[in-house]
Amino acid sequence: LRTVHNQEKEFLDALSEAGVPAWSEGGAGLFEAPEVSAFLALLKCIDNRRQDVPLLSALRGPAGGFELEALCALRLRYPGTRYFFEACLEAANDAESGEEGQKMREFFARLDAWRARLHTMGLGDFMDYLIEDSGFMAGTLTLQDGARRLQNLRQIAGQARSYGAHMGNHLDGFLATCENLRTGGESMGAVLLPQGEQVVRVMKSGR
């Protein structure tokens, strides 16, 4: 392709519908997938939980299991807090917060456990582990086109494995690279091609 950003998503969707794993240097099609966005939000919380938007997404996802209405009620219960994260922390530390407070304590405990596990594993192996342990695998497979959605998550794990081999086991650096690709930067795209994966590469001509 001469202008990969304009047409890559159409090519990626067509290849995926045909059962052909595909990868793009720009990565836009992959990062637009809801399951990938939700999974990256969880990774951002493992790296730094003091981020309101990723935290809200992670809590609503398979790892948190919260309904939006419950999170809104939780936020309103602690009006003295400035940020959503602070309200969640208050709920976790509040002995009278009931079932929602217990769920919040369990969620933060899982973040701590995953962060500790990350330091004992390679980045790619950790992603494979997290996809299953967080409930993303089971949840994704219940959705329409679940196999393709799970393949999207597997691509993230493959890219993390490649990143770790080249750049080290740094979750924050991997997340920054993903954000660079999501917003249109391509300079680090070659680093993220999953090593050993049988995929079709959607590239600009001349590469």
Side-chain angles (χ1 to χ4, degrees):
L1 301 178
R2 291 187 179 276
T3 54
V4 67
H5 288 307
N6 294 336
Q7 295 179 295
E8 64 172 333
K9 188 176 187 301
E10 288 77 4
F11 276 85
L12 290 169
D13 287 345
L15 289 166
S16 294
E17 288 173 6
V20 179
W23 177 88
S24 165
E25 289 185 326
L30 179 63
F31 292 110
E32 287 174 0
E35 63 279 359
V36 170
S37 178
F39 186 67
L40 290 175
L42 178 59
L43 289 173
K44 290 176 182 177
C45 290
I46 293 172
D47 181 56
N48 175 13
R49 66 190 65 181
R50 294 176 178 271
Q51 304 178 80
D52 282 359
V53 174
L55 180 59
L56 177 60
S57 177
L59 286 169
R60 294 185 64 195
F66 282 84
E67 297 292 338
L68 180 59
E69 292 77 8
L71 292 173
C72 290
L74 183 149
R75 182 67 183 91
L76 294 173
R77 194 178 304 138
Y78 303 98
T81 57
R82 182 176 181 183
Y83 300 107
F84 177 67
F85 164 77
E86 293 175 346
C88 292
L89 194 61
E90 287 285 337
N93 293 328
D94 185 355
E96 300 180 357
S97 57
E99 182 180 347
E100 300 302 328
Q102 178 61 30
K103 285 178 65 176
M104 193 66 69
R105 285 188 289 274
E106 291 173 356
F107 176 76
F108 282 139
R110 295 183 81 189
L111 289 184
D112 289 336
W114 286 327
R115 187 177 179 87
R117 176 68 72 107
L118 172 62
H119 296 309
T120 69
M121 306 175 72
L123 200 55
D125 290 340
F126 174 73
M127 299 294 174
D128 287 333
Y129 167 79
L130 185 64
I131 288 170
E132 182 171 359
D133 193 61
S134 65
F136 264 87
M137 177 185 289
T140 297
L141 289 175
T142 65
L143 302 175
Q144 183 178 1
D145 206 12
R148 182 166 72 93
R149 293 173 184 271
L150 181 57
Q151 177 61 29
N152 286 338
L153 296 178
R154 293 299 190 197
Q155 278 194 252
I156 294 296
Q159 292 178 353
R161 183 169 288 104
S162 178
Y163 179 92
H166 287 85
M167 308 295 290
N169 197 41
H170 306 296
L171 179 57
D172 56 346
F174 175 70
L175 289 170
T177 301
C178 289
E179 182 65 16
N180 177 281
L181 292 176
R182 187 189 69 80
T183 56
E186 294 184 85
S187 61
M188 301 182 77
V191 175
L192 292 180
L193 179 64
Q195 298 298 309
E197 297 281 344
Q198 298 297 313
V199 299
V200 172
R201 296 179 63 170
V202 179
M203 303 173 63
K204 283 185 178 180
S205 61
R207 290 287 177 100

